[in-house]
Amino acid sequence: MPVQIKICGIRRPQDVDYINEFLPDYAGFIFWEKSFRYVTLREACDLRRRMDPGIPTVGVFVNETPETIAELVHSGAIRIVQLHGQETEEDIAKLRTLLPGVPIWKAFKVRSLDDLRKAQLSTADQILLDNGYGTGQCFDHSLLLTRDEAPEQEPLFHRPYILAGGLTPENLPQVIARYHPFMVDISSGVETDKCKDPDKIRRAVRAARIS
């Protein structure tokens, strides 16, 4: 099956128009106030109404309270929760109580094999491997192919995962072919001067579709 693709950091009406034209699998809203891609609840609701109803929207949160996250979900602006801070297993459990049936994704900043081991044990529905908070840089992807102890073993990391950080339309084919992520998550890689670029979105979605 083709790798799925999420275009994140949607913040303008024209961004939604690009999403509707090129139809990625998911679109993401950033609810972290320190990001220039931050959107308010009202903005997210307006953008969601403009968007193709068949495209699920993901809300990205950094150390937000479960109650605030639940409010965003209940508003209809998002269908999926993506945690991008230092959220714990207890936080995930509380969200499951507040939001039964809502998918929860957890992002992990990868610096070492220990980070991958922690990610693999997460109770989140999906895990996302990244370099940091929207840095636009790759972590050391070779860690994904590292064998734990013996060379004949399978790679250390074998859980399906979402790959983010430093991805572009140009490097997606090579990254997908080598590391086989379940999904790719791209934001700065489809921007020009910090604005979503329709040609880059088109090429990124195409790269995922033909992988």
Side-chain angles (χ1 to χ4, degrees), residues 22-41:
F22 302 116
L23 300 176
D25 298 286
Y26 298 88
F29 298 137
I30 307 296
F31 296 104
W32 185 43
E33 293 186 4
K34 293 183 180 180
S35 172
F36 74 87
R37 303 182 184 99
Y38 168 73
V39 293
T40 65
L41 170 58

Side-chain angles (χ1 to χ4, degrees), residues 7 9-13 15-21 23-29 43-58 77 79:
I7 304 297
I10 302 304
R11 62 188 178 92
R12 307 176 303 160
D15 297 344
V16 176
D17 295 340
Y18 306 151
I19 294 297
N20 291 341
E21 181 176 0
L23 300 176
D25 298 286
Y26 298 88
F29 298 137
E43 289 169 336
C45 288
D46 289 342
L47 294 169
R48 172 70 264 188
R49 283 191 290 270
R50 188 183 183 99
M51 192 178 297
D52 185 317
I55 299 176
T57 43
V58 182
R79 302 183 195 173

Side-chain angles (χ1 to χ4, degrees), residues 129-164:
L129 308 180
D130 199 358
N131 183 59
Y133 300 143
T135 62
Q137 302 295 317
C138 299
F139 65 89
D140 182 2
H141 289 164
S142 67
L143 291 170
L144 295 168
L145 302 179
T146 302
R147 284 161 172 77
D148 202 1
E149 295 177 358
E152 66 273 11
Q153 289 182 336
E154 290 294 316
L156 172 66
F157 201 80
H158 51 77
R159 176 176 175 174
Y161 61 90
I162 304 166
L163 187 61

Side-chain angles (χ1 to χ4, degrees), residues 3-7 163-164 166-181 183-186 189-190 200-201 203-209 211:
V3 172
Q4 295 190 350
I5 182 168
K6 170 173 164 258
I7 304 297
L163 187 61
L167 301 178
T168 67
E170 291 74 25
N171 68 20
L172 274 180
Q174 179 182 359
V175 168
I176 291 170
R178 182 165 177 78
Y179 301 106
H180 307 290
M183 184 189 304
V184 290
D185 187 339
I186 185 168
V190 290
K200 290 181 179 180
I201 293 175
R203 290 189 287 120
V205 172
R206 183 175 184 274
R209 294 283 186 265
S211 62

Side-chain angles (χ1 to χ4, degrees), residues 6 26-27 29 31 56-66 68-74 77-84 87 91-92 95-96 98-107 124-128 162:
K6 170 173 164 258
Y26 298 88
F29 298 137
F31 296 104
T57 43
V58 182
V60 178
F61 302 92
V62 178
N63 302 325
E64 187 55 87
T65 66
T68 297
I69 294 173
E71 179 185 2
L72 266 293
V73 173
H74 292 146
I78 58 173
R79 302 183 195 173
I80 298 164
V81 172
Q82 180 175 315
L83 305 175
H84 233 283
E87 297 87 1
D91 294 325
I92 293 174
L95 279 171
R96 291 200 190 284
L98 293 174
L99 299 168
V102 173
I104 298 173
W105 300 355
K106 178 71 180 82
D125 297 292
Q126 296 289 346
I127 52 174
L128 183 146
I162 304 166

